[in-house]
Amino acid sequence: LGLTIPTKYNGSSMDATASVIVHEELSYSDPSLCLSYLAHSVLFCNNLNVNGTEDQKRKWLPNACDGTTIGGMGMSEPMAGTDVLGMKSNAVYDDEMNGYILNGTKMWITNGTLDKAGETGDIFLVYARTGNSSRMDITSFVVEKGMEGFRLGQKIEDKLGMRASPTAEL
């Protein structure tokens, strides 16, 4: 499942061309399946591999590459769509917690839900503003199923296309 991820994290160590060929062939059979796979393999796995720390890669990539966990990315928002500069979600550092508190809603998230019962995906890279002064004040955070405050909003069904790709509000 981790086409472009190094073998030391259970990936396949393929290059971008090989990844494109795999996605093209999957799309030929089932574009919705390919979209779900792409959200996991590229938007989560590859993104974490390129931008994550070594500790983050060791912690999350092996299970994402072997299919134990299903991931995605949360960037789009109800009032901004994919306009990242219009993003309202924010993250504020909490000294007592020694970490960030994320506030906001993400919309149209592929793998946001995995079944009819509303089970969320396992892990997401979620983008949020960490300041308000510039474009550089946007950070991605790893959010795992079960974290306090993280929940499924609405499961988006009756889409015009890609009906087999599980999409949700988080």
Side-chain angles (χ1 to χ4, degrees):
L1 291 174
L3 295 175
T4 59
I5 308 306
T7 54
K8 70 180 183 178
Y9 306 118
N10 293 346
S12 299
S13 291
M14 294 183 182
D15 64 9
T17 302
S19 180
V20 168
I21 291 168
V22 168
H23 287 96
E24 181 179 37
E25 291 301 316
L26 285 172
S27 291
Y28 180 76
S29 304
D30 186 341
S32 292
L33 171 69
C34 183
L35 179 61
S36 297
Y37 177 70
L38 184 145
H40 175 80
S41 69
V42 176
L43 300 181
F44 178 76
C45 292
N46 191 65
N47 196 344
L48 183 63
N49 185 56
V50 170
N51 299 304
T53 66
E54 186 61 33
D55 287 344
Q56 290 170 331
K57 294 175 193 181
R58 276 196 305 270
K59 181 175 181 177
W60 291 303
L61 285 176
N63 286 343
C65 288
D66 72 14
T68 304
T69 60
I70 302 297
M73 182 182 77
M75 185 181 294
S76 298
E77 294 190 353
M79 300 307 291
T82 56
D83 174 13
V84 177
L85 297 179
M87 182 183 304
K88 300 293 184 213
S89 293
N90 66 72
V92 179
Y93 191 80
D94 184 307
D95 288 324
E96 285 183 29
M97 199 176 81
N98 192 30
Y100 283 88
I101 297 174
L102 273 68
N103 293 293
T105 301
K106 298 299 178 180
M107 192 70 166
W108 307 289
I109 307 306
T110 302
N111 297 335
T113 182
L114 300 177
D115 59 25
K116 293 212 180 270
E119 181 79 16
T120 65
D122 299 302
I123 189 165
F124 298 89
L125 289 178
V126 175
Y127 289 77
R129 290 192 173 281
T130 50
N132 54 17
S133 62
S134 76
R135 295 178 186 194
M136 302 303 291
D137 291 336
I138 297 174
T139 303
S140 62
F141 296 87
V142 176
V143 177
E144 294 179 276
K145 176 171 50 178
M147 285 183 156
E148 184 179 348
F150 178 62
R151 65 180 173 80
L152 176 68
Q154 61 179 309
K155 183 175 178 182
I156 301 169
E157 298 180 303
D158 299 324
K159 298 179 284 183
L160 186 56
M162 302 294 184
R163 291 176 179 249
S165 178
T167 309
E169 173 186 36
L170 301 174

